[in-house]
Amino acid sequence: MTEYQSIAPDVKLGSGVRLSKFINLYGCEVGDNTKIGAFVEIQKNAKVGRNCKVSSHTFICEGVTIEDNVFIGHGVTFINDSYPRATTADGQLQTEKDWRVEQTLIKRGASIGSGTTILSNVTVGERAIVGAGSVVTRDVPPNAIVAGNPAKVLRVITPEAEIAR
């Protein structure tokens, strides 16, 4: 199966990690028992915690930290630059020294729906749920359910509602 995987030697994989075909991992960390779906790219300096599921066609860029027990749906895209440009002011192609990576944090137990885009400088709180197709432009509180473009809080998951589920 490794013939269809591109995994750089600097990748740190925990025990029990399951990797699909057609993935691209470099300079990142993936925690124990995490499952990475097909056509996923995880860039350098990105971290995915333990017991996570990253579904197919997802892009996790540099600056993204995903804590433990997180679900990432299909085709989720993370952003790490609020003002991207191809060139510098004098017309030269930008290099890494021409911009600063912005951080994104997905807290423990959160679920991110398929087709979601998460902008940089955002924290998605513990056990929050982001509805499919949402665009997350600001922090999501813990236990909140958000959806839309831009994503807005629809309701909060109470302990009682969680038990009844």
Side-chain angles (χ1 to χ4, degrees):
M1 182 146 102
T2 58
E3 66 186 284
Y4 299 110
Q5 296 174 335
S6 178
I7 303 172
D10 59 353
V11 171
K12 296 177 184 167
L13 295 176
S15 66
V17 171
R18 291 171 287 168
L19 303 173
S20 296
K21 293 181 181 182
F22 307 110
I23 59 171
N24 187 23
L25 310 178
Y26 52 97
C28 61
E29 295 180 30
V30 178
D32 298 343
N33 303 313
T34 287
K35 181 179 178 185
I36 306 294
F39 303 104
V40 169
E41 178 168 337
I42 306 176
Q43 292 186 327
K44 68 179 181 179
N45 302 320
K47 295 178 182 150
V48 179
R50 298 184 315 258
N51 304 312
C52 293
K53 181 179 179 187
V54 179
S55 301
S56 68
H57 299 87
T58 288
F59 175 69
I60 301 172
C61 56
E62 181 176 9
V64 173
T65 299
I66 297 171
E67 294 186 345
D68 299 341
N69 308 323
V70 169
F71 172 80
I72 305 290
H74 300 279
V76 172
T77 301
F78 291 87
I79 308 296
N80 65 2
D81 187 353
S82 295
Y83 302 99
R85 296 279 188 236
T87 59
T88 60
D90 64 358
Q92 299 297 309
L93 279 178
Q94 279 194 355
T95 65
E96 287 189 34
K97 68 179 182 163
D98 295 314
W99 64 285
R100 180 181 58 83
V101 173
E102 297 171 345
Q103 305 298 308
T104 300
L105 176 60
I106 310 300
K107 302 283 275 180
R108 180 181 186 87
S111 292
I112 310 299
S114 294
T116 293
T117 299
I118 299 182
L119 300 187
S120 57
N121 300 314
V122 166
T123 296
V124 175
E126 287 189 9
R127 300 188 50 76
I129 297 174
V130 177
S134 295
V135 177
V136 179
T137 61
R138 53 182 63 129
D139 290 350
V140 175
N143 299 306
I145 298 174
V146 302
N149 179 6
K152 293 183 168 68
V153 175
L154 302 178
R155 66 183 178 94
V156 174
I157 304 166
T158 62
E160 299 79 25
E162 191 68 17
I163 292 168
R165 203 175 143 224

